[in-house]
Amino acid sequence: AAGALEQARSLARRRLAALHRDRPDRVAPRLRDVLRRRGFSPGVVEQVVREVVGAVADEPGGEAWSRRPRGDGGPRAQVQ
């Protein structure tokens, strides 16, 4: 488990710079998704996201580790 935790931390630190180009409120959820896709356990993912981002691994009020639709599916360029 300690090896997986270190691997997840390393991956999270590498991905963080790219993720910070996105909206700040999306950094933790996107980092969570990256780690989950790589096969890390929910406990490891939550711990690493808290350590690296300083936030919980999911948006407030949501079920942990749930999949939610990503808006209307329109282009991201709609942000003004």
Side-chain angles (χ1 to χ4, degrees):
L5 189 56
E6 285 305 315
Q7 288 178 337
R9 284 179 181 138
S10 176
L11 175 60
R13 285 190 293 266
R14 287 193 314 265
R15 295 287 303 170
L16 199 56
L19 291 172
H20 272 298
R21 293 181 201 137
D22 202 0
R23 294 182 1 216
D25 64 322
R26 296 299 305 155
V27 172
R30 288 182 189 266
L31 181 58
R32 178 206 65 218
D33 291 345
V34 166
L35 294 171
R36 291 290 289 153
R37 281 193 305 271
R38 292 288 180 102
F40 293 103
S41 71
V44 167
V45 172
E46 184 174 347
Q47 181 176 344
V48 169
V49 171
R50 277 195 194 140
E51 290 175 4
V52 174
V53 180
V56 293
D58 207 359
E59 294 94 348
E63 290 292 321
W65 317 117
S66 67
R67 288 278 178 205
R68 285 191 270 299
R70 294 181 177 220
D72 63 2
R76 293 181 60 177
Q78 294 175 350
V79 177
Q80 298 180 10

